[in-house]
Amino acid sequence: QLRERGNALFQAGDHAAALAAYTRALSLCDAGPERAVLHRNRAACHLKLEDYAKAEADASKAIEADGRDVKALFRRSQALQKLGRLDQAVSDLQRCVSLEPKNKAFQEALRTLGSSMHEKMKTMSCTDSKVEQMFQILLDPKEKDADKKQKAAQNLIVLAREEAGAEKIFQSDGVRLLTQLLDTAKADLMLAALRTLVGLCSGHRSRTMAILAELGAPRLSAVLGVEHEQVSLAACNLLHVMFDSLKEGLQKEFRGKEDAVVLDSSKDLKLLIKHLLELLALEGASAHGRDSALNLLIKVVPRKSPKETNNSMSLWVIDQGLKKILEVGSTVCGTPGSLPVTENSRMSASVLLSKLYDDLKCDAERENFHHLCEDYVRSWFEGHELAGKLRAIQTVSCLLQGPSDAGNRVLELEGIMDSVLSLCASVCEAHQLVAVEALIHAADKAKRASFITANGVSLLKEIYKHSERDSIRIRALVGLCKLGSAGGTDFSMKQFAEGSTMKLAKQCRKWLCNEAIDAGTRRWAVEGLAYLTFDADVKEEFVEDKAAMQAMFHLAKSEERSVLYAVASTLVNCTNSYDHEEPDPQMLELAKYAKQHIPEQHPKDKPDFVKRRVRKLLAAGVVSALACMVKSDNPALTNSCRELISRVFLALVEEAEDRGGVVAQGGGKALIPLSLEGTEVGQTKAAQALAKITITSNPEMAFPGERIYEVVRPLVSLLHLQRTGLENFEGLMALTNLAGISERLRQKILKEKAVPMIEGYMFEEHELIRLAATECMCNMAMSKEVQELFLAKGSDRLKLMVLYSGEEDEKLRRAASGTLAMLTALHPPICKRIPQVTVHWLEILQALLLSPSVELQHRGAVVVMNMMAAEQEVAEQLMASEMLEILSVLAKEKDKP
């Protein structure tokens, strides 16, 4: 019986159900011939379901029982063909033809397979000779034709991108030949070799391990450290691909060819990381090579999410390499024996230290980190005279910018703070720079701010007024800005005399616009503004100064990476997109009574002022600057920096009329990555901004091509219960728009498991959320899967829709009756179910037809028409009521076509 049921299901095209029936039948069957037939039938199901390995296994079991079973042989040949084992497929087909020589289908299949094998052999031999030829051209010292060499290199790279081509290069002794190309030390040949190796390693763990064994980690890290920037970047890309392939092996079980060999890649991972750490402190390595090594470590060492429990890689890196990372962080440019670094190296070191510290799970691990940092600082501070003290202070700066807890601990070591203050007065510019920067970084860490306010303000003022060097004055100014903005947005807590903040801001803007000053120094002007723009007067002046805004945006797009956080902070302040809670009036009264301090809002921080500032920022080109910041593959783009950018975007799309402009300048595209990674708050803000755009714009224009499908997941995330009511509402509205566009989008929404959440919100007390959920369900009801849900046993979905069609709220009635009209048209069995769900169904339908709203009458008429057509029993019930008279009256109305 089960076998016959399986046959019927197979004929009807339900192959998965047929497979289940045959599998159950096998568990009840002991007779050999009967089992063989069932295995053969299962093979047919597997072929239809495109599971070729299982199809081959089942067909083989049928052939074991009866070697003359042509059906099983033919099915196995089909499976083998798909698995790429053409020689075995041919031998099965030849056996079929010898058993049934007159069978045309077998003869045709054998002919087709023969010709495709011939093609493959031709291509393979052709590819073999091509690979050999390409390497000959590239490695021949007598070959002088540059174009020919470039073409050969390009062909090799393209071939390596295809799995078959990559395997061919690998099998043709390609790795040894690529190593020879790397050893030529010629940039173009090295680039070709590195880019080809990327193709060989992508997504293939066993090949990656073999390549690593052949090339050796020392050679790879040496190539990363070369002076030629493009070669160094290509090596960085190759290492990143290798890390991904090796890490993939640690995280998931491999299927396919690699199943046979159990590979442990953790040793290779550690070996690569060990060489990267050694490169950091290697004097001969280039500055950008050092940057690339730091960037790689940031990407591959810390856990991607706290859900992963294993942080052993971070612990190992801290034990083996923390001091090497601090070597980069403590470098004082221009001093004898200092490591070559770029403007971004110290920032990257801070980001890496911060990520490692955040990856620690318990106090003991953090304590070990603190001890290692303290030992390193002491080793420079004690017994190395002035040069050592500078290195120690520079380390403090690096830690304060990264894991500030560790920075604060080190700052409290005996003599450090005194040295900072005394070196601030040094006559040597380089020494003064190091000390003033350390003082600035210490100033915004709450623990030290009061101490510095007492001791450092007068010192910073002296430096600012009397120093002859702009580079020093600008840093002193930032120190004053930080201390001056300690009251945050609280208008009543002014640190400095009236007007001082405005003077500082004016000077910051002046330096920011002065292109004669290098970008590294101008960055400090933005740092200053990031603090000063807590004051609304400063915000107002800043948005009036178009040149200053554009200079800041230009800096954000430049190579000066450490400026990102300061730019984002300034924009958050200007758009007031930080979190601010309205104080409870009763608590305010109590605070006044107890003579407690009450924060006051600046009059220029009221909504009208904020709206005007947003418009001015949009006109100055803020969106393209933000899009550029998001695009940059940059360690300074930390999760907290992403969150700030998301906040600004949400403020920019607050007004519906601004949204088109934001999309046109690339805002929609930039918001998608922001909504998928970063802090939870940042992801939610970006998702809400996407929802606002989707609600008021045409989604197909705002997110062209495949991008529209990427928007679904962020929007569904707004439906989680911990989100606010407004976020739920906007998420539902946006999904309603998407669900109305195409079946593929509805399938994507179903795949993201949004339907149960949408249903949950249909029971929400808040009427707007309830309405939005019902409208969303109305559009989702165009999907077959959703229609089936309304007929599920024990479900009240249909009952709810019928009852909502009789509610007082006209919009809710419109959405619910619209859903009923769709369901009854698309899925007639629902018509029969409606009278069963509630005794009030007839009066609800009549009320729709008698409603003053034409839209409700129309929906009611469609539902009744569908029910009349669907089922005689239902039609009789409708005829027995007053439905006919109502319809007769409506049919005569001339003004309602």
Side-chain angles (χ1 to χ4, degrees):
Q1 277 176 334
L2 280 165
R3 191 181 84 192
E4 280 169 14
R5 189 191 303 168
N7 293 348
L9 287 163
F10 189 87
Q11 290 298 327
D14 194 346
H15 305 118
L19 178 65
Y22 295 140
T23 307
R24 274 192 64 203
L26 261 175
S27 66
L28 304 174
C29 171
D30 296 325
E34 187 70 36
R35 287 181 72 80
V37 172
L38 287 165
H39 278 300
R40 185 178 75 200
N41 290 358
R42 283 205 333 168
C45 293
H46 286 309
L47 281 171
K48 290 287 186 188
L49 295 166
E50 297 180 9
D51 195 340
Y52 303 116
K54 285 184 180 168
E56 186 227 349
D58 265 322
S60 296
K61 283 178 184 162
I63 295 162
E64 276 168 29
D66 177 6
R68 300 172 66 80
D69 184 341
V70 284
K71 280 188 179 175
L73 281 162
F74 184 60
R75 279 168 197 167
R76 187 167 73 175
S77 81
Q78 286 176 296
L80 289 165
Q81 208 173 326
K82 293 290 187 183
L83 290 167
R85 286 145 62 187
L86 301 187
D87 45 345
Q88 290 167 282
V90 165
S91 103
D92 274 353
L93 269 177
Q94 284 168 338
R95 178 109 176 96
C96 289
V97 172
S98 69
L99 290 167
E100 286 188 16
K102 290 182 182 173
N103 189 318
K104 293 254 175 71
F106 294 164
Q107 291 169 359
E108 185 57 36
L110 187 60
R111 219 182 353 266
T112 312
L113 188 56
S115 64
S116 73
M117 268 194 81
H118 179 68
E119 280 296 311
K120 192 172 180 189
M121 298 303 282
K122 211 161 114 188
T123 315
M124 294 284 270
S125 60
C126 177
T127 307
D128 279 5
S129 61
K130 264 189 190 166
V131 170
E132 245 169 83
Q133 211 180 340
M134 286 183 248
F135 276 119
Q136 264 172 1
I137 294 169
L138 290 169
L139 288 166
D140 183 1
K142 291 173 189 163
E143 180 60 72
K144 295 286 182 262
D145 186 343
D147 283 349
K148 202 172 175 186
K149 279 198 164 187
Q150 193 181 359
K151 202 168 182 191
Q154 199 52 44
N155 287 344
L156 206 55
I157 295 163
V158 170
L159 190 64
R161 285 184 193 145
E162 297 290 330
E163 174 53 35
E167 191 59 30
K168 198 72 252 158
I169 295 171
F170 185 71
Q171 299 295 353
S172 315
D173 197 21
V175 182
R176 186 181 62 79
L177 298 168
L178 288 167
T179 310
Q180 286 179 24
L181 284 180
L182 277 178
D183 292 343
T184 59
K186 290 180 180 165
D188 50 348
L189 297 182
M190 290 174 83
L191 281 170
L194 291 165
R195 286 168 184 165
T196 306
L197 285 165
V198 165
L200 299 189
C201 294
S202 284
H204 204 295
R205 186 165 49 128
S206 56
R207 248 192 336 242
T208 302
M209 290 171 79
I211 288 167
L212 188 54
E214 174 94 24
L215 285 174
R219 183 189 266 113
L220 281 169
S221 81
V223 176
L224 184 68
V226 296
E227 280 299 335
H228 194 287
E229 194 165 350
Q230 270 193 307
V231 172
S232 175
L233 281 171
C236 176
N237 186 29
L238 170 62
L239 283 163
H240 196 199
V241 167
M242 287 181 130
F243 275 120
D244 281 349
S245 300
L246 295 171
K247 275 191 127 173
E248 205 165 50
L250 293 180
Q251 284 158 5
K252 70 173 185 187
E253 291 179 21
F254 254 81
R255 289 184 61 180
K257 292 179 192 173
E258 307 189 29
D259 254 354
V261 195
V262 177
L263 302 161
D264 177 23
S265 49
S266 56
K267 280 183 186 163
D268 290 314
L269 267 172
K270 282 190 172 169
L271 183 68
L272 274 178
I273 289 173
K274 179 170 174 278
H275 282 282
L276 286 180
L277 290 167
E278 280 170 7
L279 177 77
L280 294 181
L282 197 70
E283 281 184 25
S286 66
H288 42 254
R290 196 168 274 105
D291 274 5
S292 295
L294 285 166
N295 291 355
L296 274 168
L297 291 166
I298 289 168
K299 282 175 188 164
V300 300
V301 175
R303 292 172 294 169
K304 288 274 179 285
S305 86
K307 288 176 189 164
E308 291 173 38
T309 51
N310 185 1
N311 69 341
S312 58
M313 196 61 87
S314 289
L315 296 175
W316 184 80
V317 167
I318 288 167
D319 284 339
Q320 299 291 315
L322 185 68
K323 294 199 170 166
K324 295 185 177 80
I325 301 166
L326 290 171
E327 283 288 307
V328 181
S330 68
T331 300
V332 179
C333 298
T335 54
S338 65
L339 293 172
V341 289
T342 69
E343 304 212 304
N344 298 314
S345 305
R346 293 211 333 267
M347 185 67 190
S348 298
S350 292
V351 172
L352 176 57
L353 291 165
S354 180
K355 290 207 171 236
L356 290 171
Y357 187 76
D358 290 343
D359 209 29
L360 301 178
K361 293 197 290 193
C362 63
D363 289 346
E365 291 173 0
R366 284 185 273 272
E367 206 50 47
N368 175 50
F369 187 97
H370 289 311
H371 282 314
L372 288 169
C373 291
E374 286 168 9
D375 290 348
Y376 181 82
V377 170
R378 274 200 204 94
S379 71
W380 278 112
F381 195 72
E382 292 160 9
H384 274 90
E385 299 192 346
L386 183 61
K389 285 191 169 53
L390 284 171
R391 288 289 296 263
I393 291 170
Q394 193 75 301
T395 311
V396 174
S397 278
C398 176
L399 287 167
L400 284 167
Q401 280 180 286
S404 55
D405 288 355
N408 272 323
R409 281 274 291 261
V410 175
L411 203 53
E412 280 158 18
L413 293 176
E414 195 180 340
I416 296 278
M417 201 65 212
D418 296 334
S419 293
V420 171
L421 292 170
S422 63
L423 276 170
C424 277
S426 165
V427 288
C428 168
E429 181 178 5
H431 300 172
Q432 200 178 10
L433 265 182
V434 171
V436 172
E437 278 189 26
L439 190 62
I440 293 165
H441 293 311
D444 59 344
K445 306 297 169 226
K447 269 189 174 180
R448 311 298 309 174
S450 52
F451 171 82
I452 294 164
T453 310
N455 299 282
V457 170
S458 51
L459 181 63
L460 287 169
K461 279 184 180 168
E462 277 302 301
I463 296 170
Y464 176 58
K465 282 178 188 164
H466 300 119
S467 173
E468 287 163 21
R469 305 181 195 95
D470 273 350
S471 57
I472 302 282
R473 289 187 66 215
I474 202 165
R475 285 165 172 78
L477 171 71
V478 174
L480 289 170
C481 294
K482 284 190 175 187
L483 296 167
S485 64
T489 54
D490 182 356
F491 179 47
S492 59
M493 272 187 79
K494 291 285 182 199
Q495 299 293 101
F496 293 147
E498 191 66 44
S500 301
T501 328
M502 301 297 284
K503 277 184 199 159
L504 291 176
K506 194 173 178 184
Q507 187 58 53
C508 279
R509 297 204 311 275
K510 191 173 153 191
W511 269 320
L512 180 58
C513 296
N514 184 352
E515 288 185 16
I517 303 175
D518 67 288
T521 307
R522 280 161 64 213
R523 160 177 88 84
W524 286 95
V526 186
E527 289 269 348
L529 286 169
Y531 286 90
L532 291 173
T533 45
F534 279 126
D535 184 324
D537 289 316
V538 175
K539 300 180 203 187
E540 286 294 317
E541 275 204 0
F542 178 64
V543 296
E544 291 300 333
D545 187 344
K546 199 164 183 181
M549 284 195 285
Q550 284 176 338
M552 182 172 86
F553 298 155
H554 189 68
L555 209 52
K557 295 176 187 176
S558 72
E559 289 296 300
E560 181 49 59
R561 294 170 173 188
S562 44
V563 78
L564 292 190
Y565 193 84
V567 172
S569 301
T570 306
L571 291 172
V572 164
N573 290 341
C574 287
T575 55
N576 282 33
S577 45
Y578 37 72
D579 291 327
H580 39 80
E581 286 180 22
E582 288 299 318
D584 178 0
Q586 285 183 311
M587 295 308 288
L588 279 180
E589 286 305 315
L590 279 171
K592 281 180 194 166
Y593 180 72
K595 295 196 171 71
Q596 287 288 328
H597 172 70
I598 300 162
E600 286 175 34
Q601 190 191 29
H602 195 294
K604 288 183 184 170
D605 269 335
K606 291 197 162 68
D608 288 348
F609 283 93
V610 177
K611 207 182 287 185
R612 270 204 299 276
R613 289 203 289 267
V614 166
R615 289 273 156 81
K616 282 178 178 155
L617 286 166
L618 285 168
V622 66
V623 178
S624 59
L626 290 172
C628 218
M629 287 159 74
V630 175
K631 250 188 284 183
S632 67
D633 183 21
N634 176 353
L637 189 66
T638 55
N639 285 345
S640 45
C641 187
R642 284 170 174 278
E643 182 187 313
L644 294 179
I645 296 172
S646 299
R647 285 175 181 277
V648 177
F649 265 126
L650 184 55
L652 296 177
V653 297
E654 187 57 46
E655 298 299 316
E657 59 265 35
D658 297 333
R659 292 171 196 169
V662 171
V663 170
Q665 291 173 47
K669 186 180 176 183
L671 278 164
I672 294 172
L674 289 172
S675 66
L676 295 172
E677 56 177 303
T679 65
E680 195 175 343
V681 174
Q683 286 181 323
T684 307
K685 300 275 179 201
Q688 196 183 353
L690 283 172
K692 285 179 188 289
I693 291 168
T694 311
I695 291 166
T696 53
S697 316
N698 174 354
E700 289 171 290
M701 303 274 281
F703 309 106
E706 291 297 301
R707 205 176 295 152
I708 195 167
Y709 301 99
E710 295 174 43
V711 178
V712 174
R713 181 171 296 169
L715 294 180
V716 172
S717 74
L718 293 174
L719 304 188
H720 294 302
L721 288 172
Q722 65 268 37
R723 303 282 174 265
T724 65
L726 180 63
E727 288 161 358
N728 299 154
F729 174 68
E730 291 183 330
L732 288 164
M733 294 265 286
L735 286 169
T736 305
N737 268 5
L738 293 185
I741 291 172
S742 71
E743 181 56 29
R744 191 176 157 203
L745 270 167
R746 289 190 285 279
Q747 288 300 325
K748 177 74 176 155
I749 295 170
L750 276 163
K751 198 175 168 189
E752 294 294 340
K753 301 185 172 60
V755 172
M757 292 191 266
I758 297 167
E759 285 181 345
Y761 285 112
M762 286 172 66
F763 293 94
E764 178 67 41
E765 279 183 27
H766 195 293
E767 57 198 44
L768 285 175
I769 295 178
R770 188 170 61 217
L771 170 65
T774 311
E775 286 176 343
C776 192
M777 188 55 80
C778 179
N779 282 355
M780 287 301 293
M782 287 187 261
S783 276
K784 193 104 183 97
E785 289 92 329
V786 178
Q787 293 157 22
E788 294 293 347
L789 291 174
F790 280 89
L791 285 176
K793 269 189 182 167
S795 153
D796 280 338
R797 294 181 182 95
L798 189 57
K799 181 178 181 178
L800 186 68
M801 279 300 173
V802 176
L803 293 173
Y804 274 0
S805 301
E807 281 283 309
E808 283 179 15
D809 178 352
E810 189 180 318
K811 285 182 179 168
L812 182 62
R813 282 177 83 185
R814 206 159 52 204
S817 55
T819 312
L820 285 181
M822 299 259 279
L823 288 170
T824 51
L826 297 169
H827 204 55
I830 284 177
C831 298
K832 190 179 175 183
R833 185 62 91 68
I834 287 176
Q836 299 165 13
V837 293
T838 170
V839 291
H840 304 294
W841 68 281
L842 258 174
E843 56 193 82
I844 287 170
L845 284 180
Q846 288 174 0
L848 285 173
L849 290 168
L850 295 168
S851 158
S853 157
V854 182
E855 289 188 349
L856 289 178
Q857 288 181 327
H858 183 203
R859 285 161 170 71
V862 171
V863 176
V864 175
M865 179 174 77
N866 293 336
M867 289 174 76
M868 285 297 291
E871 185 82 29
Q872 186 174 356
E873 191 187 333
V874 178
E876 284 170 355
Q877 285 175 278
L878 286 165
M879 283 299 289
S881 70
E882 289 138 27
M883 202 57 83
L884 189 58
E885 291 96 292
I886 297 171
L887 290 168
S888 304
V889 172
L890 286 179
K892 289 173 190 154
E893 299 206 14
K894 296 271 188 292
D895 59 332
K896 297 179 182 175

